[in-house]
Amino acid sequence: MQKAHDLKEYRKELHESLDNSFLRTTLDNFAIAYRAGRANAFKDMDVRGLINDIACSKDAAGENYEALYKEFKKNAEAAGVHVHFAKDGDEANRIIARIAKDTGCKKIVKSKSMTAEETLLNHDLEDAGLEVTETDLGEWIIQLRHEGPSHMVMPAIHLSRHQVGDLFTEVTGTKQDSEIEKLVKVARRELRQKYVEADMGITGANFAVAETGGIGLITNEGNARLVSTLPRVHVALMGIDKLLATLHDALRIIKVLPRNATGQQITSYVTWITGANECLAAEDNRKEIHYVVLDNGRSELLKDPLFSQVNRCVRCGACANVCPVYRLVGGHKMGHIYIGAIGLILTYFFHGKDKAKNLVQNCINCEACKDVCAGGIDLPRLIKEIHARILEEDGHPLPSFLLGKVLKNRKLFHTLLRTAKWGQKPVAEKDGFIRHLPMIFSKEHSFRALPTIAETPFRDWWQKNQPVVNNPKCRVALFSGCVQDFVYPEQMQAAVDLFAANGVAMDYPIKQSCCGLPVQMMGEIKASKDVAAQNLSAFDPDAYDYIITLCASCASHLKHNYPKLVMDKPSLKLRADAFAAKIIDYSSFVNDVLKVKQGDFAQTGEKATYHAPCHLCRGLDVHDAPRKLIETSGLEYVECAEEEVCCGFGGTFSMKFPELSAELLKKKLDNVEATGADTLLTDCPGCIMQLKGGLKKRGSAIKVKHIAEALSGNKK
Amino acid sequence: MPSKNDLYQKFVEKAELVSAIVTNITNEDEALRYVIDLCDKKEACQLLVSGCEADLSAKAEALCDTKQKKVIAAPGLKQDLYKKLAQGAEKAGFECIDKGMRDHLAGVDIGFTFAEYGIADTGTLMLDCPDEELRLATMVSEFHVCVLPKSKIRANTYEVEKMMLTRMKKTPDYLAFITGASRTADIERVLALGVHGPLELHILILED
Ligand code: SF4
Ligand code: SF4
């Protein structure tokens, strides 16, 4: 559970996780095994189509939840089940405690339910004098340790067999060794007698099917079957997000959920309970069944045009499985009760701003979670939106406020950058790096060297060197982004060189400014909107066939976020749509549009590997073009492990969480060095800044370049 | 449309992937022989994995002590078939029961059942068990042996959806998809079988 009061305390907690080598190794191994397992489980399936169908049916269920609840209740009651509605967690817990009292229950066995975690049900039941035992092995372990889950599907993933062995020694009062097979059997026998004694069983529900009034439960251990069979009273606690219109909707989700959660094709058990079943422990041989349907902020969420998509979550935990930040720090630090990307969002709505305010900043915006989500939820966007809302409520911290102010004023911003060039003179080295870190950086930032501001920004170079292209094939506008404009103009120049040689007429609208992603990342939505409006007025989309940018982050921000940012201004929105439609990244343009040929480049055969920027591979779904271009440019492409995993730059993220950024970079560079390549290519200047700076610190000889530089360099 | 044989092949492949033990049989008598043989071969208490000598808390120990003889549970079996099984079991020195599962919560050695359908897609058995005795037999047995008529194999869950709905609407109903043995990966993500339910799932595919 997340306890830090401010960012400083939170960062201290993060350090504890980073120092926990067991946790780090487990999560690393899992992340790698998961990716292969998932891919295998989805082989030959239309995953996108399936996810899209789930999103549609869940959206419809969300819009219709009141009617579905009525239908569900009617059918369940007709089948002899009692149905209760709870507006918040306290009420749900009260209802359940009262059922226990009314039915004279004393001992409760529980099968895993995230919803019960959310309402802190166990505390309330224990306060009411009831004995509660979790029966899911992982849940039982953390219950005995008085901890919260650290993963939605594998709640005890943070613990070693030795820790569990010691724990079981305490529980049984006799020494247990730490062999997993044996520990599992000890749990089996210890828990079996808990089932025998219990008079009430509590489960969650994965599905509440309106057309039948029944529920569906997905488990591997089979504990939900015992919990719902042996005791004479069964209570199922579920959020209104579990309501589905039809059984078919549920069967469809089952196709994705286990595959996405652990790479299993299906779990060992899927249990469908409809109506008051036979129970030989009850007086009349009928089980007493209660469904407690929980709102707790969900109906508010459903009314929100942006956040209603949260209802699509099926709690598979995949968004944590792929999150590079979760992989570093684990669930106790990457969420409050719900963990991972969805945890950052749900924490805000279910547990409040104070619990969420530090957590939401810990997202690097790599979009891995969005890419994998079973419900197709745009998680990174929602996380940023919550960050913005919290800033609105709490006031803006000085650095992000200032950055917002500066970026809104292009001239001021550019003047500052030009001044910085003079300011850095005393510490600038000839090799393009700053010798000492400026005072504003603490030593935690020393994991990478920082580049100097270029002698001549691209915009100045352009005004003197803009090429004339006769009989052009096509007409494009260039969008440089600030890093290439002021730090790495040579990347833009390389592109200009190749474009001119291929009959591309270019324009560089001089009033363009920073794309605005950095302020958006800091939650400064107002500033982000202003910057978007400025850039939109600087470009006339109708005048060009394409608008090209060499920065993956800019490209994805311009393409996907601009239309959303100006949504409330109809005339601007039209322009933004036209603008977004023309945006293309460098690699796609050169490979797919210009279709350059191997024959146009000197074939050196030098080994080069590749880093896929998050905003290119996931943000724009571009995968083949850059890799093909590496080969076209005359180099030999060697694949790097975890090529599409974030390098840890994340713009302002690396300023705020240097320790996390450093770790992500370390992994990336270890993988890069293991390829034995001489050159590392990528297509985002932010990534280049991170990778170059890190390799420089390591004293590595590997050259880092934008793909544009490789092509221009080898051009015959 | 996949042929009957394709479905069968797929079912076996998928079931074996999750460590189910699949055997072909040509008639029901073979199934009974299989169950008796298996019970005979089986160690008295599979929980031996942790060593019955391993100490547990007093209460958990006490529950284990309630079990004296090897037990085969076969609730819901056709009368004549159950009679034959009970005879065979008696000869071999095992107890055979078709009710009273609640007196055997320490565990029975073998639960013997018939599946309603098989789902080829994932190697899944579908068992409808509104009857508590039958349900418990599939949960507290150490080995679950289940007969699946070959003609009852369907491609995927959508093809049993209609039938599921019919049953669910005629409540009460308790229906299960069972795929492989009970499993967990909760400690260090290492797969361990039989955490609460059966340690082994044996599927006997009946040629019909
Ligand atoms: S965008 Fe990346 S860092 Fe942020 S929550 Fe999703 S996976 Fe994690
Ligand atoms: S947000 Fe998506 S990926 Fe995360 S748990 Fe929910 S459904 Fe799964």
Side-chain angles (χ1 to χ4, degrees):
Chain A
M1 217 180 269
Q2 192 14 236
K3 295 187 214 72
H5 295 100
D6 53 25
L7 205 58
K8 205 168 146 210
E9 272 182 46
Y10 181 48
R11 280 183 55 194
K12 221 159 93 201
E13 289 186 3
L14 295 179
H15 269 287
E16 289 163 19
S17 290
L18 287 175
D19 293 341
N20 181 340
S21 64
F22 170 79
L23 181 73
R24 298 282 307 281
T25 316
T26 314
L27 293 178
D28 263 353
N29 292 343
F30 173 56
I32 292 165
Y34 169 77
R35 207 169 309 125
R38 180 182 189 267
N40 187 40
F42 277 120
K43 209 172 54 204
D44 304 328
M45 282 172 74
D46 171 18
V47 195
R48 290 271 154 237
L50 210 50
I51 288 178
N52 197 36
D53 290 348
I54 291 175
C56 290
S57 78
K58 290 284 279 178
D59 281 349
E63 276 163 32
N64 239 336
Y65 85 93
E66 279 165 314
L68 288 182
Y69 172 68
K70 264 198 207 131
E71 188 187 347
F72 176 69
K73 182 174 156 88
K74 188 185 89 211
N75 287 330
E77 285 175 345
V81 173
H82 308 270
V83 184
H84 314 259
F85 193 85
K87 66 176 183 319
D88 58 23
D90 286 343
E91 190 179 352
N93 295 356
R94 268 199 308 277
I95 292 172
I96 297 172
R98 201 188 56 231
I99 297 170
K101 188 158 169 267
D102 291 350
T103 51
C105 291
K106 293 267 176 313
K107 296 194 174 182
I108 299 177
V109 278
K110 224 169 128 242
S111 124
K112 182 169 150 35
S113 150
M114 279 312 291
T115 316
E117 298 282 346
E118 173 189 328
T119 68
L120 301 174
L121 176 64
N122 289 7
H123 295 270
D124 283 357
L125 293 180
E126 279 160 10
D127 287 350
L130 297 153
E131 182 194 305
V132 188
T133 308
E134 295 288 349
T135 60
D136 178 89
L137 177 59
E139 287 288 327
W140 188 50
I141 292 170
I142 60 169
Q143 182 190 32
L144 293 170
R145 285 175 57 98
H146 310 289
E147 273 175 2
S150 68
H151 188 276
M152 256 188 269
V153 176
M154 290 161 292
I157 192 174
H158 58 292
L159 297 172
S160 74
R161 64 187 78 193
H162 306 288
Q163 286 168 299
V164 179
D166 292 346
L167 182 70
F168 283 11
T169 299
E170 243 172 78
V171 171
T172 57
T174 41
K175 177 86 190 123
Q176 306 289 350
D177 68 27
S178 49
E179 198 184 308
I180 292 174
E181 273 284 291
K182 289 187 182 173
L183 290 170
V184 169
K185 296 302 178 299
V186 170
R188 175 183 170 119
R189 291 165 72 193
E190 289 292 331
L191 287 169
R192 192 57 75 79
Q193 50 102 10
K194 298 284 184 191
Y195 294 115
V196 175
E197 288 178 349
D199 24 38
M200 176 185 272
I202 299 179
T203 66
N206 293 89
F207 315 110
V209 181
E211 68 174 332
T212 64
I215 60 171
L217 291 163
I218 299 188
T219 77
N220 269 321
E221 301 187 358
N223 53 326
R225 305 179 81 218
L226 286 161
V227 164
S228 61
T229 296
L230 286 172
R232 60 190 160 81
V233 180
H234 174 200
V235 176
L237 172 65
M238 65 203 87
I240 55 174
D241 52 305
K242 298 295 160 55
L243 288 162
L244 292 174
T246 64
L247 175 66
H248 192 79
D249 294 329
L251 293 176
R252 190 195 293 117
I253 292 174
I254 293 171
K255 279 181 180 270
V256 175
L257 204 161
R259 289 183 163 91
N260 226 26
T262 54
Q264 270 178 290
Q265 318 238 331
I266 191 168
T267 52
S268 298
Y269 303 99
V270 181
T271 303
W272 305 94
I273 303 175
T274 324
N277 275 281
E278 184 181 64
C279 175
L280 300 179
E283 259 172 46
D284 57 353
N285 285 357
R286 280 280 148 239
K287 176 156 320 240
E288 178 162 339
I289 303 187
H290 295 261
Y291 294 156
V292 180
V293 183
L294 175 72
D295 185 334
N296 203 27
R298 288 168 173 78
S299 58
E300 273 308 304
L301 259 172
L302 282 169
K303 280 184 214 134
D304 187 304
L306 180 60
F307 283 97
S308 57
Q309 57 182 302
V310 165
N311 187 62
R312 297 178 194 158
C313 174
V314 298
R315 312 273 190 262
C316 64
C319 51
N321 297 351
V322 296
C323 174
V325 180
Y326 174 89
R327 177 171 166 183
L328 286 182
V329 302
H332 288 154
K333 310 286 176 262
M334 186 71 180
H336 177 61
I337 284 178
Y338 292 101
I339 54 98
I342 191 71
L344 304 187
I345 297 164
L346 294 182
T347 300
Y348 176 75
F349 288 101
F350 295 165
H351 305 288
K353 182 182 74 185
D354 281 345
K355 299 273 186 274
K357 66 174 194 266
N358 300 312
L359 296 174
V360 286
Q361 304 188 48
N362 203 0
C363 161
I364 198 166
N365 202 28
C366 72
E367 304 202 347
C369 52
K370 171 181 171 183
D371 197 46
V372 83
C373 176
I377 306 174
D378 190 348
L379 296 151
R381 170 148 189 244
L382 301 187
I383 293 170
K384 283 299 150 237
E385 178 67 26
I386 288 175
H387 191 183
R389 286 192 186 186
I390 294 178
L391 291 189
E392 280 310 308
E393 293 171 43
D394 276 7
H396 301 236
L398 196 60
S400 82
F401 178 76
L402 285 180
L403 184 62
K405 274 262 175 276
V406 169
L407 281 197
K408 266 198 283 199
N409 184 336
R410 180 182 66 82
K411 287 211 174 111
L412 170 65
F413 175 49
H414 288 169
T415 309
L416 279 177
L417 282 169
R418 288 173 199 274
T419 322
K421 186 177 81 191
W422 299 109
Q424 79 193 4
K425 278 264 144 93
V427 289
E429 293 279 352
K430 284 215 176 54
D431 62 1
F433 289 103
I434 295 174
R435 197 181 321 133
H436 307 295
L437 278 183
M439 289 294 283
I440 52 160
F441 294 105
S442 62
K443 72 170 190 311
E444 278 151 330
H445 289 269
S446 64
F447 66 92
R448 61 172 179 202
L450 287 178
T452 52
I453 306 272
E455 197 52 41
T456 313
F458 177 73
R459 56 180 59 235
D460 295 0
W461 177 89
W462 172 261
Q463 289 192 318
K464 296 195 195 97
N465 300 293
Q466 169 178 5
V468 181
V469 177
N470 297 317
N471 306 320
K473 271 200 272 183
C474 64
R475 214 156 228 295
V476 307
L478 303 173
F479 184 91
S480 66
C482 6
V483 181
Q484 275 163 336
D485 194 352
F486 287 92
V487 182
Y488 299 128
E490 64 274 19
Q491 297 171 8
M492 290 300 291
Q493 289 159 10
V496 169
D497 174 40
L498 185 86
F499 292 171
N502 280 276
V504 178
M506 290 163 271
D507 190 8
Y508 182 81
I510 214 76
K511 286 200 170 141
Q512 62 180 283
S513 182
C514 169
C515 69
L517 185 62
V519 273
Q520 170 127 339
M521 279 291 290
M522 296 179 98
E524 297 287 341
I525 296 289
K526 175 81 179 52
S528 172
K529 287 184 175 177
D530 289 347
V531 178
Q534 279 176 32
N535 279 324
L536 286 171
S537 71
F539 284 78
D540 173 11
D542 295 337
Y544 314 108
D545 300 312
Y546 297 97
I547 300 169
I548 301 178
T549 161
L550 276 67
C551 170
S553 302
C554 295
S556 133
H557 186 60
L558 300 175
K559 196 171 188 75
H560 299 310
N561 295 341
Y562 270 30
K564 291 175 194 150
L565 283 168
V566 300
M567 208 140 58
D568 46 353
K569 301 200 180 83
S571 64
L572 211 51
K573 168 77 166 72
L574 278 179
R575 195 174 171 112
D577 286 337
F579 176 83
K582 298 259 162 98
I583 297 285
I584 190 169
D585 64 285
Y586 174 85
S587 288
S588 300
F589 179 70
V590 175
N591 190 66
D592 308 346
V593 179
L594 293 184
K595 299 196 168 70
V596 294
K597 297 269 170 330
Q598 224 165 14
D600 301 335
F601 301 89
Q603 304 293 310
T604 66
E606 201 180 304
K607 273 194 193 164
T609 189
Y610 179 62
H611 160 67
C614 301
H615 293 124
L616 193 75
C617 62
R618 286 177 294 275
L620 296 171
D621 204 14
V622 172
H623 305 270
D624 295 342
R627 292 169 173 98
K628 282 202 187 119
L629 282 181
I630 295 176
E631 297 271 339
T632 310
S633 74
L635 303 172
E636 186 202 337
Y637 164 55
V638 272
E639 195 184 331
C640 176
E642 304 204 73
E643 211 162 69
E644 296 198 341
V645 173
C646 182
C647 68
F649 179 61
T652 48
F653 178 91
S654 61
M655 297 294 170
K656 213 178 276 173
F657 297 107
E659 52 284 83
L660 301 182
S661 178
E663 279 303 314
L664 293 172
L665 178 60
K666 178 180 174 302
K667 272 198 191 113
K668 179 54 77 174
L669 296 182
D670 288 348
N671 287 334
V672 166
E673 285 187 331
T675 63
D678 319 292
T679 307
L680 169 60
L681 295 173
T682 185
D683 23 20
C684 178
C687 301
I688 290 181
M689 194 190 284
Q690 173 90 339
L691 298 165
K692 232 185 193 169
L695 284 168
K696 160 86 181 170
K697 273 278 152 164
R698 287 187 171 205
S700 159
I702 299 175
K703 299 182 284 278
V704 185
K705 286 185 196 157
H706 194 284
I707 290 189
E709 294 176 274
L711 283 158
S712 166
N714 283 0
K715 186 163 62 84
K716 277 185 192 160
Chain B
M1 263 298 269
S3 74
K4 194 172 141 186
N5 208 46
D6 290 346
L7 288 180
Y8 158 77
Q9 300 268 346
K10 177 99 180 237
F11 179 90
V12 176
E13 179 203 326
K14 293 291 179 174
E16 285 179 343
L17 261 182
V18 284
S19 63
I21 299 146
V22 185
T23 310
N24 294 301
I25 56 171
T26 49
N27 57 51
E28 291 176 338
D29 287 340
E30 253 181 83
L32 301 185
R33 269 204 303 283
Y34 187 96
V35 169
I36 303 278
D37 284 354
L38 185 67
C39 191
D40 193 40
K41 272 191 281 179
K42 175 185 178 300
E43 299 246 19
C45 177
Q46 271 301 317
L47 298 178
L48 276 172
V49 182
S50 70
C52 256
E53 72 287 358
D55 293 319
L56 292 179
S57 63
K59 272 187 174 172
E61 284 288 4
L63 188 65
C64 281
D65 290 342
T66 60
K67 186 170 176 291
Q68 299 298 343
K69 227 180 179 185
K70 285 185 183 177
V71 184
I72 298 174
L77 222 54
K78 284 181 294 191
Q79 270 304 314
D80 53 332
L81 210 58
Y82 178 74
K83 246 190 223 141
K84 274 198 221 166
L85 178 67
Q87 277 166 6
E90 196 185 345
K91 227 191 266 159
F94 317 139
E95 193 180 344
C96 189
I97 56 171
D98 66 348
K99 54 175 160 313
M101 289 303 303
R102 278 186 185 261
D103 300 329
H104 289 87
L105 294 179
V108 300
D109 294 83
I110 294 186
F112 179 54
T113 63
F114 274 67
E116 312 251 352
Y117 285 97
I119 295 157
D121 214 6
T122 47
T124 299
L125 298 171
M126 197 191 107
L127 268 81
D128 195 8
C129 28
D131 176 64
E132 184 192 288
E133 302 281 10
L134 174 59
R135 211 185 309 157
L136 284 176
T138 68
M139 294 180 194
V140 303
S141 54
E142 288 171 9
F143 294 173
H144 178 195
V145 182
C146 187
V147 179
L148 170 67
K150 200 169 181 178
S151 63
K152 294 290 182 121
I153 302 178
R154 298 288 178 268
N156 54 48
T157 53
Y158 295 161
E159 296 199 359
V160 292
E161 181 181 331
K162 248 212 194 109
M163 188 275 316
M164 288 175 71
L165 275 176
T166 317
R167 310 228 175 166
M168 288 171 174
K169 288 185 172 166
K170 200 185 90 222
T171 59
D173 189 50
Y174 196 110
L175 196 146
F177 295 159
I178 298 178
T179 316
S182 161
R183 60 184 55 217
T184 185
D186 265 349
I187 306 178
E188 292 190 11
R189 292 195 315 109
V190 174
L191 181 71
L193 297 180
V195 50
H196 293 290
L199 296 114
E200 288 183 9
L201 176 68
H202 294 246
I203 303 173
L204 308 181
I205 300 187
L206 176 66
E207 195 71 54
D208 67 336

